[in-house]
Amino acid sequence: MTTRTLVSPAQLARPRARYVYWTVLVLVLVLFTAVFLGPLYWMVTGGLKSTREAVQSPPTLVPSSFHPETYARAWEVMDLARLLLNTVWYAFGALAFQLVLDVSAAYSLSRLRPVLGKAILGMMLATLMIPAAVLVVPQYLTVLDVPVVRRNLLDSPWAIWLPSVANAFNIFLLKRFFDSIPREMLDAAEVDGASRLRILWSVVLPVSRPILGVVSIFAVVGVWKDFLWPMLTLPDPTKQTLNVGIYSLAGGVPENVLIAALTIASVPTLLIFLVFQRNIMSGLTAGGLKG
Protein backbone atom coordinates (compact mmCIF):
# COMPACT_ATOMS: atom_id res chain seq x y z
CA MET A 1 0.00 0.00 0.00
CA THR A 2 1.50 3.30 -1.09
CA THR A 3 0.96 6.57 0.70
CA ARG A 4 -0.01 9.55 -1.41
CA THR A 5 1.57 12.84 -0.38
CA LEU A 6 1.28 16.42 -1.58
CA VAL A 7 4.78 16.28 -3.07
CA SER A 8 5.90 13.00 -4.62
CA PRO A 9 9.35 11.49 -3.89
CA ALA A 10 10.25 11.94 -7.57
CA GLN A 11 9.66 15.68 -7.34
CA LEU A 12 11.63 15.92 -4.07
CA ALA A 13 14.57 14.28 -5.81
CA ARG A 14 15.02 17.41 -7.91
CA PRO A 15 17.28 20.00 -6.22
CA ARG A 16 15.08 22.97 -7.04
CA ALA A 17 11.88 21.24 -5.87
CA ARG A 18 13.59 20.13 -2.65
CA TYR A 19 14.80 23.68 -1.99
CA VAL A 20 11.31 25.14 -2.52
CA TYR A 21 9.73 22.43 -0.37
CA TRP A 22 12.01 22.99 2.62
CA THR A 23 11.79 26.78 2.29
CA VAL A 24 7.99 26.72 2.37
CA LEU A 25 7.98 24.20 5.24
CA VAL A 26 10.33 26.29 7.37
CA LEU A 27 8.38 29.50 6.69
CA VAL A 28 5.08 27.85 7.62
CA LEU A 29 6.55 26.40 10.82
CA VAL A 30 8.08 29.73 11.82
CA LEU A 31 4.82 31.56 11.07
CA PHE A 32 2.64 29.21 13.11
CA THR A 33 5.18 29.13 15.95
CA ALA A 34 5.16 32.93 16.08
CA VAL A 35 1.35 33.01 16.05
CA PHE A 36 1.03 30.56 18.95
CA LEU A 37 4.05 31.52 21.04
CA GLY A 38 3.96 35.26 20.37
CA PRO A 39 1.26 36.04 22.97
CA LEU A 40 3.06 33.88 25.55
CA TYR A 41 6.33 35.68 24.92
CA TRP A 42 4.58 39.05 25.17
CA MET A 43 2.98 38.07 28.46
CA VAL A 44 6.17 36.72 30.05
CA THR A 45 8.32 39.66 28.99
CA GLY A 46 5.60 42.14 29.98
CA GLY A 47 5.98 41.01 33.57
CA LEU A 48 9.73 41.60 33.39
CA LYS A 49 9.40 45.24 32.27
CA SER A 50 9.18 48.31 34.45
CA THR A 51 5.78 49.94 34.90
CA ARG A 52 6.62 52.79 32.52
CA GLU A 53 7.96 50.46 29.83
CA ALA A 54 4.97 48.12 30.14
CA VAL A 55 2.50 50.89 29.24
CA GLN A 56 4.55 52.86 26.74
CA SER A 57 3.55 53.13 23.09
CA PRO A 58 4.85 51.79 20.82
CA PRO A 59 5.74 48.78 22.99
CA THR A 60 9.25 47.34 23.15
CA LEU A 61 9.89 43.85 21.84
CA VAL A 62 12.67 43.15 24.37
CA PRO A 63 12.68 44.73 27.86
CA SER A 64 15.32 47.43 28.20
CA SER A 65 15.85 46.31 31.81
CA PHE A 66 14.69 43.13 33.49
CA HIS A 67 12.69 43.22 36.74
CA PRO A 68 12.06 39.61 37.87
CA GLU A 69 11.02 40.90 41.31
CA THR A 70 7.72 41.92 39.68
CA TYR A 71 6.60 38.29 39.82
CA ALA A 72 7.30 38.06 43.56
CA ARG A 73 5.42 41.33 44.05
CA ALA A 74 2.45 40.02 42.07
CA TRP A 75 2.40 36.84 44.18
CA GLU A 76 2.25 38.84 47.40
CA VAL A 77 0.11 41.85 46.43
CA MET A 78 -2.60 39.83 44.68
CA ASP A 79 -2.53 37.00 47.24
CA LEU A 80 -2.07 34.42 44.50
CA ALA A 81 -1.37 31.61 46.99
CA ARG A 82 -4.92 31.80 48.38
CA LEU A 83 -6.47 32.15 44.93
CA LEU A 84 -4.42 29.20 43.70
CA LEU A 85 -5.55 26.98 46.59
CA ASN A 86 -9.18 27.95 45.97
CA THR A 87 -8.90 27.06 42.30
CA VAL A 88 -7.23 23.72 43.04
CA TRP A 89 -10.02 22.89 45.50
CA TYR A 90 -12.75 23.70 42.99
CA ALA A 91 -10.98 21.97 40.07
CA PHE A 92 -10.24 18.68 41.80
CA GLY A 93 -13.63 18.61 43.50
CA ALA A 94 -15.26 18.92 40.08
CA LEU A 95 -12.92 16.20 38.82
CA ALA A 96 -13.99 13.78 41.57
CA PHE A 97 -17.70 14.29 40.86
CA GLN A 98 -17.21 14.04 37.10
CA LEU A 99 -15.28 10.79 37.33
CA VAL A 100 -17.90 9.16 39.57
CA LEU A 101 -21.04 10.30 37.75
CA ASP A 102 -19.81 10.48 34.14
CA VAL A 103 -18.17 7.05 34.35
CA SER A 104 -21.37 5.62 35.81
CA ALA A 105 -23.49 7.20 33.06
CA ALA A 106 -21.17 6.08 30.27
CA TYR A 107 -20.92 2.53 31.64
CA SER A 108 -24.70 2.31 31.90
CA LEU A 109 -25.18 3.48 28.32
CA SER A 110 -22.43 1.24 26.98
CA ARG A 111 -22.89 -2.05 28.87
CA LEU A 112 -26.20 -2.05 30.72
CA ARG A 113 -28.15 -1.09 27.57
CA PRO A 114 -31.06 0.82 29.19
CA VAL A 115 -34.37 1.36 27.42
CA LEU A 116 -34.10 4.37 25.08
CA GLY A 117 -30.36 4.50 25.75
CA LYS A 118 -29.58 5.78 22.26
CA ALA A 119 -32.21 8.49 22.56
CA ILE A 120 -30.79 9.55 25.93
CA LEU A 121 -27.28 9.73 24.48
CA GLY A 122 -28.58 11.68 21.50
CA MET A 123 -30.27 14.24 23.77
CA MET A 124 -27.06 14.54 25.81
CA LEU A 125 -25.03 15.23 22.68
CA ALA A 126 -27.67 17.71 21.49
CA THR A 127 -26.89 19.86 24.54
CA LEU A 128 -23.41 20.43 23.06
CA MET A 129 -25.08 22.49 20.34
CA ILE A 130 -26.44 24.98 22.90
CA PRO A 131 -24.14 27.98 23.47
CA ALA A 132 -22.78 28.10 27.02
CA ALA A 133 -23.94 31.72 27.44
CA VAL A 134 -27.57 30.65 26.96
CA LEU A 135 -27.36 28.35 29.99
CA VAL A 136 -25.91 30.94 32.38
CA VAL A 137 -29.24 32.43 33.52
CA PRO A 138 -31.11 29.12 34.16
CA GLN A 139 -28.04 27.66 35.90
CA TYR A 140 -27.71 30.75 38.09
CA LEU A 141 -31.39 30.64 39.07
CA THR A 142 -30.97 26.95 39.89
CA VAL A 143 -28.02 27.40 42.25
CA LEU A 144 -29.68 30.50 43.74
CA ASP A 145 -32.62 28.37 44.87
CA VAL A 146 -32.06 24.66 44.26
CA PRO A 147 -35.35 22.88 43.54
CA VAL A 148 -36.68 20.39 46.13
CA VAL A 149 -34.00 21.13 48.75
CA ARG A 150 -34.55 24.91 48.54
CA ARG A 151 -30.92 25.84 49.24
CA ASN A 152 -28.83 28.80 48.09
CA LEU A 153 -25.47 27.52 46.83
CA LEU A 154 -23.83 30.87 46.08
CA ASP A 155 -20.39 31.30 47.64
CA SER A 156 -20.05 27.53 48.11
CA PRO A 157 -18.01 24.97 46.14
CA TRP A 158 -21.25 23.25 45.13
CA ALA A 159 -22.04 26.17 42.84
CA ILE A 160 -18.93 25.20 40.83
CA TRP A 161 -19.12 21.45 41.19
CA LEU A 162 -22.74 20.65 40.40
CA PRO A 163 -23.05 22.44 37.00
CA SER A 164 -19.86 20.73 35.80
CA VAL A 165 -20.89 17.19 36.76
CA ALA A 166 -23.01 16.17 33.76
CA ASN A 167 -20.57 16.72 30.91
CA ALA A 168 -22.03 15.30 27.70
CA PHE A 169 -18.71 15.36 25.84
CA ASN A 170 -16.90 13.41 28.56
CA ILE A 171 -19.74 10.90 28.74
CA PHE A 172 -19.51 10.38 24.98
CA LEU A 173 -15.72 9.87 25.14
CA LEU A 174 -16.05 7.37 27.98
CA LYS A 175 -18.89 5.47 26.29
CA ARG A 176 -16.94 5.21 23.05
CA PHE A 177 -13.98 3.75 24.94
CA PHE A 178 -16.15 1.33 26.92
CA ASP A 179 -17.71 0.14 23.64
CA SER A 180 -14.23 -0.77 22.37
CA ILE A 181 -13.47 -3.10 25.30
CA PRO A 182 -13.70 -6.73 24.05
CA ARG A 183 -16.96 -8.34 25.08
CA GLU A 184 -15.15 -11.60 25.84
CA MET A 185 -13.28 -9.94 28.70
CA LEU A 186 -16.50 -8.85 30.37
CA ASP A 187 -18.21 -12.19 29.72
CA ALA A 188 -15.31 -14.00 31.42
CA ALA A 189 -15.75 -11.81 34.49
CA GLU A 190 -19.49 -12.57 34.55
CA VAL A 191 -18.80 -16.30 34.34
CA ASP A 192 -16.52 -15.95 37.37
CA GLY A 193 -19.49 -14.50 39.27
CA ALA A 194 -18.52 -10.82 39.22
CA SER A 195 -21.37 -8.34 39.58
CA ARG A 196 -21.85 -5.37 37.25
CA LEU A 197 -20.25 -3.04 39.78
CA ARG A 198 -17.35 -5.45 40.32
CA ILE A 199 -16.77 -5.66 36.57
CA LEU A 200 -16.68 -1.88 36.35
CA TRP A 201 -14.22 -1.56 39.23
CA SER A 202 -11.91 -4.53 38.52
CA VAL A 203 -12.05 -4.90 34.73
CA VAL A 204 -13.29 -1.76 32.97
CA LEU A 205 -11.56 0.98 34.99
CA PRO A 206 -8.04 -0.56 34.98
CA VAL A 207 -8.02 -0.75 31.16
CA SER A 208 -9.59 2.70 30.83
CA ARG A 209 -6.74 4.71 32.34
CA PRO A 210 -5.91 6.52 29.05
CA ILE A 211 -9.42 7.91 28.60
CA LEU A 212 -9.79 8.58 32.33
CA GLY A 213 -6.63 10.68 32.09
CA VAL A 214 -8.10 12.70 29.22
CA VAL A 215 -11.38 13.28 31.06
CA SER A 216 -9.45 14.31 34.17
CA ILE A 217 -7.41 16.86 32.23
CA PHE A 218 -10.53 18.29 30.57
CA ALA A 219 -12.31 18.54 33.93
CA VAL A 220 -9.45 20.32 35.69
CA VAL A 221 -8.67 22.70 32.84
CA GLY A 222 -12.37 23.46 32.31
CA VAL A 223 -12.77 24.74 35.88
CA TRP A 224 -9.32 26.36 35.92
CA LYS A 225 -9.90 28.57 32.89
CA ASP A 226 -13.54 29.42 33.58
CA PHE A 227 -14.25 33.05 34.39
CA LEU A 228 -17.89 34.08 33.95
CA TRP A 229 -19.50 31.39 36.11
CA PRO A 230 -17.17 31.76 39.15
CA MET A 231 -17.54 35.54 38.92
CA LEU A 232 -21.33 35.21 39.19
CA THR A 233 -21.49 32.53 41.88
CA LEU A 234 -18.52 33.44 44.11
CA PRO A 235 -18.92 37.11 45.10
CA ASP A 236 -16.97 36.62 48.36
CA PRO A 237 -13.35 37.75 47.64
CA THR A 238 -11.94 35.08 49.98
CA LYS A 239 -13.55 32.28 47.93
CA GLN A 240 -12.82 33.45 44.40
CA THR A 241 -10.84 31.54 41.80
CA LEU A 242 -7.53 32.61 40.31
CA ASN A 243 -9.00 34.30 37.22
CA VAL A 244 -11.76 36.12 39.08
CA GLY A 245 -9.46 37.22 41.92
CA ILE A 246 -6.93 38.71 39.50
CA TYR A 247 -9.73 40.52 37.66
CA SER A 248 -11.12 41.91 40.93
CA LEU A 249 -7.73 43.35 41.94
CA ALA A 250 -6.68 44.50 38.46
CA GLY A 251 -7.65 48.13 39.00
CA GLY A 252 -5.38 48.67 41.98
CA VAL A 253 -2.04 47.35 40.71
CA PRO A 254 0.45 48.52 38.03
CA GLU A 255 0.25 47.02 34.56
CA ASN A 256 3.48 45.03 34.84
CA VAL A 257 2.34 43.45 38.13
CA LEU A 258 -1.00 42.52 36.54
CA ILE A 259 0.76 40.92 33.56
CA ALA A 260 3.05 38.99 35.92
CA ALA A 261 0.00 37.70 37.82
CA LEU A 262 -1.64 36.58 34.57
CA THR A 263 1.56 34.77 33.60
CA ILE A 264 1.64 32.91 36.91
CA ALA A 265 -2.04 31.97 36.49
CA SER A 266 -1.29 30.51 33.04
CA VAL A 267 1.63 28.34 34.14
CA PRO A 268 -0.35 25.40 35.69
CA THR A 269 -2.50 24.73 32.62
CA LEU A 270 0.52 25.02 30.30
CA LEU A 271 2.42 22.52 32.44
CA ILE A 272 -0.54 20.14 32.43
CA PHE A 273 -0.64 20.22 28.64
CA LEU A 274 3.12 19.83 28.17
CA VAL A 275 3.34 16.92 30.62
CA PHE A 276 0.22 15.06 29.49
CA GLN A 277 0.01 15.90 25.77
CA ARG A 278 0.79 12.29 24.82
CA ASN A 279 -1.92 11.04 27.17
CA ILE A 280 -4.41 13.45 25.62
CA MET A 281 -3.80 12.20 22.07
CA SER A 282 -3.60 8.51 23.03
CA GLY A 283 -6.77 8.77 25.10
CA LEU A 284 -8.73 10.50 22.37
CA THR A 285 -7.81 7.81 19.83
CA ALA A 286 -7.84 4.80 22.18
CA GLY A 287 -11.48 3.97 21.51
CA GLY A 288 -11.24 4.30 17.76
CA LEU A 289 -10.53 0.62 17.09
CA LYS A 290 -11.95 -2.46 18.71
CA GLY A 291 -9.95 -5.48 19.68
Side-chain angles (χ1 to χ4, degrees):
M1 180 178 178
T2 59
T3 302
R4 298 182 62 87
T5 59
L6 186 62
V7 182
S8 66
Q11 291 175 316
L12 285 178
R14 304 171 185 172
R16 183 177 179 181
R18 186 165 56 249
Y19 173 78
V20 173
Y21 171 80
W22 284 108
T23 301
V24 172
L25 179 62
V26 170
L27 290 176
V28 170
L29 290 176
V30 170
L31 176 62
F32 276 86
T33 301
V35 169
F36 286 106
L37 297 184
L40 295 178
Y41 169 80
W42 204 262
M43 184 170 59
V44 173
T45 57
L48 295 173
K49 297 177 180 179
S50 64
T51 303
R52 177 178 297 180
E53 187 178 6
V55 299
Q56 78 176 32
S57 181
T60 56
L61 183 61
V62 179
S64 58
S65 60
F66 291 87
H67 299 272
E69 67 277 3
T70 304
Y71 285 90
R73 184 182 174 190
W75 182 270
E76 296 176 1
V77 170
M78 308 195 76
D79 199 7
L80 294 184
R82 175 181 56 80
L83 297 176
L84 183 63
L85 289 176
N86 288 347
T87 309
V88 169
W89 171 240
Y90 297 138
F92 284 91
L95 168 62
F97 282 106
Q98 280 199 33
L99 286 181
V100 172
L101 298 177
D102 290 0
V103 166
S104 301
Y107 181 70
S108 300
L109 293 171
S110 175
R111 295 303 177 183
L112 303 185
R113 309 286 180 173
V115 178
L116 300 177
K118 292 184 178 179
I120 294 173
L121 179 62
M123 288 187 288
M124 285 184 181
L125 295 178
T127 62
L128 297 176
M129 303 295 107
I130 303 175
V134 175
L135 302 176
V136 170
V137 172
Q139 284 182 348
Y140 182 81
L141 295 177
T142 300
V143 299
L144 185 64
D145 186 14
V146 180
V148 182
V149 297
R150 318 306 299 182
R151 293 292 300 274
N152 185 347
L153 300 181
L154 297 183
D155 269 333
S156 73
W158 295 103
I160 303 297
W161 294 340
L162 292 183
S164 66
V165 165
N167 190 303
F169 182 68
N170 287 345
I171 293 174
F172 171 71
L173 289 180
L174 290 165
K175 179 187 180 299
R176 189 183 69 167
F177 187 91
F178 294 161
D179 289 341
S180 69
I181 298 176
R183 184 68 194 179
E184 294 77 9
M185 184 185 301
L186 305 181
D187 292 340
E190 288 185 0
V191 171
D192 290 340
S195 64
R196 297 284 188 178
L197 184 60
R198 182 68 177 178
I199 293 174
L200 173 62
W201 181 260
S202 301
V203 179
V204 175
L205 292 183
V207 301
S208 303
R209 280 179 288 185
I211 195 63
L212 291 178
V214 172
V215 170
S216 300
I217 293 170
F218 285 169
V220 171
V221 173
V223 174
W224 199 284
K225 68 182 181 62
D226 198 7
F227 174 77
L228 178 60
W229 184 248
M231 184 179 66
L232 294 175
T233 57
L234 301 172
D236 187 350
T238 63
K239 299 180 180 180
Q240 290 175 343
T241 61
L242 199 58
N243 295 334
V244 178
I246 293 175
Y247 170 78
S248 300
L249 299 173
V253 297
E255 293 293 331
N256 58 334
V257 176
L258 175 61
I259 297 174
L262 293 174
T263 303
I264 295 173
S266 303
V267 168
T269 51
L270 291 176
L271 290 179
I272 289 175
F273 174 77
L274 293 176
V275 173
F276 297 105
Q277 57 179 325
R278 289 188 177 181
N279 302 69
I280 295 174
M281 296 308 301
S282 62
L284 290 174
T285 59
L289 296 175
K290 289 188 177 183

